[in-house]
Amino acid sequence: MRYIVNGSCVGCGLCTGICPEVFTMTDEGVAKAIDEEVDRDLATALDAMQNCPVQAIEAQE
């Protein structure tokens, strides 16, 4: 599973707080997914996606 943060991100940091293994903040103040495929069962990544307040996280198989 690969996660992508789209242009809707407002930089709240929720995803990096929940799952720093997959998400990081950029110098521009928005989140970015680490460019690595992650274990499909990584519950914290899914939790971050489901709890994003602006639905900026997408998952790709």
Side-chain angles (χ1 to χ4, degrees), residues 1 3 10 14 18-22 26 29 32-33 35-36 38 41-42 44 46-47 49 55 57 59-61:
M1 180 80 64
Y3 291 89
V10 295
L14 181 117
I18 292 175
C19 189
E21 301 88 359
V22 175
T26 68
K32 174 186 167 194
D35 291 331
E36 295 178 11
V38 297
D41 295 327
L42 186 61
T44 54
L46 182 61
D47 196 29
M49 182 178 78
Q55 300 175 340
I57 301 171
Q60 295 181 337
E61 296 253 358

Side-chain angles (χ1 to χ4, degrees), residues 4-38:
I4 295 171
V5 179
N6 66 36
S8 299
C9 179
V10 295
C12 73
L14 181 117
C15 59
T16 59
I18 292 175
C19 189
E21 301 88 359
V22 175
F23 303 100
T24 187
M25 296 301 287
T26 68
D27 291 338
E28 291 78 29
V30 295
K32 174 186 167 194
I34 298 168
D35 291 331
E36 295 178 11
E37 195 160 321
V38 297

